[in-house]
């Protein structure tokens, strides 16, 4: 009787409701267990994804830094062949080169061994990963090293880059080049690549022509022909940025004037009995002539001139005085004058000042022909002056 009543009670509405509530609670509890398990796995999953992202970013940064170290080491080692290069300038060049290749903040060191003609570049970035450092992963800081060695190139004072023209390096009418402790080199393979005429003189540790030599003057010691072509040691130099015009068609013809660094569109024309002083920095001469004439004087310490565009040329003439020294650091470290290497045509540059005695730094005109013919010594007071141009002509007795 009791059992029968109990069996019948399972079907009672109240009992059915109680059984439903128990099942509901069981299902809720089971669902909760699944949710808890999934919640516990999410941080591990996110950590794995984050860790993978950290290592991917590490690999990308390391690759970019290594490429920059390799390229900057080669560029810096090539600079060792230029007579004007100093350790400070090479260090500064390396920093500037790396800065153009890597946008992140890094420290760059160049270890220069002139005896063995090597440059070792070290780049370091104190990068902090988002996830990896929680796990103690040793992926920071990122550090890379590259070493380049200069082989087979002499210390160079004068180099003409033209590869096939006659008289690409020419002296006439009692002109002279004195290159103490360094070489004079013509890359042209023409039979008359190097021309020394009219009682002209070259005195250098080495005078070499990739082609031939035509001489009625004096070369001491004797020049060598059929030399191997010398690679442009400055070809890897980054070019300064050319911003919008800060000044346009600048002309100064009287008084005492101070000019500031910037982009000079249309060039600079200095004439009359004017005394111009240049503030330290880089002067971009864009699409116009940089002219100094009459009895004007031009003075500037740690200044660099970047000639941008085919019409940007030098024209220093007359009874003018020039006292200039190139930048000690930055993208133009060691360069006094830098001509746009992208010019399609060869620009004509003239130094005919009667008192251009101090030109300290390298004159680099890879797409330029430089004519020096003042009839007096040029660069005689310079701590160092080197010339790397497409073509060089000395006439009317300059002593360079």
């Amino acid at each position: 009787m009791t059992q029968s009543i109990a069996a019948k009670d399972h079907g009672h509405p109240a009992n059915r409701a109680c059984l439903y509530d128990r099942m509901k609670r069981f299902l809720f509890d089971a669902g909760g267990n699944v949710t808890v398990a999934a919640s516990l796995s999410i941080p591990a999953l996110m950590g794995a994804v984050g860790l993978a992202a950290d290592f991917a970013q590490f690999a990308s940064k390391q690759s970019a830094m290594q490429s920059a170290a390799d390229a900057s080491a080669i560029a810096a080692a090539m600079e060792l062949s230029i007579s004007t290069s100093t350790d400070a300038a090479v260090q500064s060049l390396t920093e500037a080169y790396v800065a153009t290749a890597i946008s992140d903040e890094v420290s760059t060191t160049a270890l220069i061994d002139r005896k063995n003609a090597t440059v070792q570049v070290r780049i370091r970035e104190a990068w902090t990963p988002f996830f990896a450092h929680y796990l103690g992963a040793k992926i920071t800081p990122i550090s890379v090293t590259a070493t380049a060695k200069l082989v087979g190139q002499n210390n160079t004072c004068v180099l003409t880059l033209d590869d096939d023209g006659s008289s690409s390096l020419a002296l006439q009418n009692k002109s002279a080049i004195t290159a103490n402790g360094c070489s004079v080199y013509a890359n042209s393979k023409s039979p008359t690549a190097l021309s020394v005429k009219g009682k002209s003189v070259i005195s250098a540790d080495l005078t070499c022509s990739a082609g031939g030599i035509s001489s009625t003057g004096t070369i001491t010691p004797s020049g060598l022909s059929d030399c191997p072509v010398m690679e442009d040691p400055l070809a890897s130099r980054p070019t300064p940025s050319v911003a919008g015009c800060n000044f346009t068609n600048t002309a100064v013809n009287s008084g005492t004037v101070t000019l500031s660094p910037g982009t000079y569109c249309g060039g600079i024309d200095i004439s009359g009995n004017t005394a111009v002083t240049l503030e330290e920095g880089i002067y971009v001469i864009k699409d116009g002539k940089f002219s100094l004439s009459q009895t004007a004087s031009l003075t500037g310490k740690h200044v660099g001139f970047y000639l941008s565009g085919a019409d940007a040329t030098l024209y220093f003439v007359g009874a003018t005085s020039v006292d200039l020294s190139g930048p000690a650091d930055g993208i133009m470290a060691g360069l006094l004058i830098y001509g746009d290497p992208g010019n399609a045509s060869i620009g004509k540059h003239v130094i005919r000042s009667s008192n251009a005695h101090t030109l300290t730094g390298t004159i680099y005109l890879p797409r330029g022909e430089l004519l020096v013919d003042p009839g007096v010594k040029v660069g005689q007071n310079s701590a160092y002056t080197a010339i790397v141009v497409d073509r060089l002509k000395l006439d009317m007795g300059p002593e360079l």
Side-chain angles (χ1 to χ4, degrees):
M1 183 70 177
T2 302
Q3 290 178 353
S4 176
I5 293 172
K8 288 181 180 179
D9 285 345
H10 285 297
H12 192 276
N15 291 333
R16 288 198 300 270
C18 181
L19 186 61
Y20 173 76
D21 287 341
R22 290 177 180 176
M23 292 177 65
K24 181 178 176 182
R25 284 197 300 273
F26 173 78
L27 291 173
F28 178 82
D29 290 344
N33 290 337
V34 172
T35 302
V36 168
S39 298
L40 290 173
S41 69
I42 286 174
L45 183 61
M46 291 180 64
V49 172
L51 193 61
D54 277 348
F55 276 94
Q57 189 176 13
F58 167 82
S60 176
K61 283 177 173 289
Q62 186 183 51
S63 177
M65 289 168 61
Q66 188 64 62
S67 295
D70 293 344
S72 60
I74 293 171
M78 290 296 293
E79 295 264 341
L80 297 182
S81 67
I82 296 295
S83 64
T84 60
S85 71
T86 63
D87 287 2
V90 172
Q91 169 67 39
S92 186
L93 165 66
T94 305
E95 293 173 354
Y97 193 101
V98 171
T100 63
I102 300 176
S103 58
D104 297 328
E105 184 175 344
V106 298
S107 63
T108 303
T109 303
L111 301 177
I112 303 155
D113 182 346
R114 290 187 177 270
K115 181 179 179 180
N116 294 305
T118 62
V119 177
Q120 183 183 85
V121 175
R122 297 176 180 175
I123 306 176
R124 184 179 185 273
E125 180 180 353
W127 171 64
T128 302
F130 190 78
F131 282 97
H133 69 287
Y134 290 114
L135 303 179
K138 302 297 183 182
I139 65 173
T140 185
I142 307 173
S143 182
V144 298
T145 302
T147 301
K149 180 178 179 63
L150 179 67
V151 177
Q153 289 197 198
N154 298 292
N155 194 27
T156 304
C157 284
V158 176
L159 169 63
T160 56
L161 301 171
D162 177 34
D163 59 5
D164 61 4
S166 62
S167 302
S168 63
L169 175 51
L171 290 74
Q172 56 189 23
N173 294 323
K174 299 182 180 179
S175 300
I177 291 177
T178 301
N180 295 322
C182 55
S183 64
V184 173
Y185 213 102
N187 266 353
S188 173
K189 294 182 179 180
S190 166
T192 56
L194 175 57
S195 175
V196 183
K197 302 290 181 66
K199 298 183 179 179
S200 296
V201 175
I202 295 178
S203 177
D205 275 14
L206 173 69
T207 300
C208 218
S209 170
I213 299 174
S214 175
S215 176
T216 58
T218 303
I219 302 175
T220 305
S222 297
L224 302 177
S225 58
D226 298 318
C227 297
V229 170
M230 181 180 289
E231 185 177 352
D232 180 357
L234 299 172
S236 296
R237 272 277 182 159
T239 57
S241 60
V242 180
C245 303
N246 301 112
F247 311 93
T248 303
N249 298 328
T250 300
V252 182
N253 54 29
S254 64
T256 301
V257 178
T258 299
L259 297 182
S260 303
T263 300
Y264 286 78
C265 294
I268 300 176
D269 185 1
I270 303 171
S271 62
N273 188 27
T274 307
V276 174
T277 300
L278 303 174
E279 294 179 343
E280 181 176 328
I282 295 177
Y283 293 74
V284 177
I285 313 299
K286 186 173 188 244
D287 298 327
K289 188 175 291 185
F290 184 15
S291 175
L292 183 72
S293 62
Q294 296 178 349
T295 57
S297 67
L298 181 64
T299 303
K301 186 176 181 181
H302 299 319
V303 294
F305 305 95
Y306 181 62
L307 310 179
S308 174
D311 294 330
T313 55
L314 291 178
Y315 189 68
F316 292 178
V317 299
T320 52
S321 299
V322 181
D323 184 354
L324 300 172
S325 67
D329 52 29
I331 200 168
M332 280 190 64
L335 296 186
L336 178 61
I337 300 165
Y338 185 177
D340 187 347
N343 285 343
S345 58
I346 301 297
K348 307 290 185 180
H349 306 268
V350 175
I351 297 179
R352 197 176 286 149
S353 295
S354 62
N355 190 21
H357 285 174
T358 306
L359 295 167
T360 304
T362 298
I363 297 175
Y364 181 43
L365 302 169
R367 298 291 295 161
E369 177 182 297
L370 177 60
L371 170 64
V372 183
D373 65 346
V376 294
K377 292 184 178 182
V378 174
Q380 65 180 21
N381 296 333
S382 301
Y384 48 78
T385 296
I387 297 176
V388 179
V389 297
D390 188 72
R391 301 173 66 88
L392 175 63
K393 296 185 181 298
L394 276 64
D395 196 3
M396 302 302 293
E399 296 182 35
L400 185 63

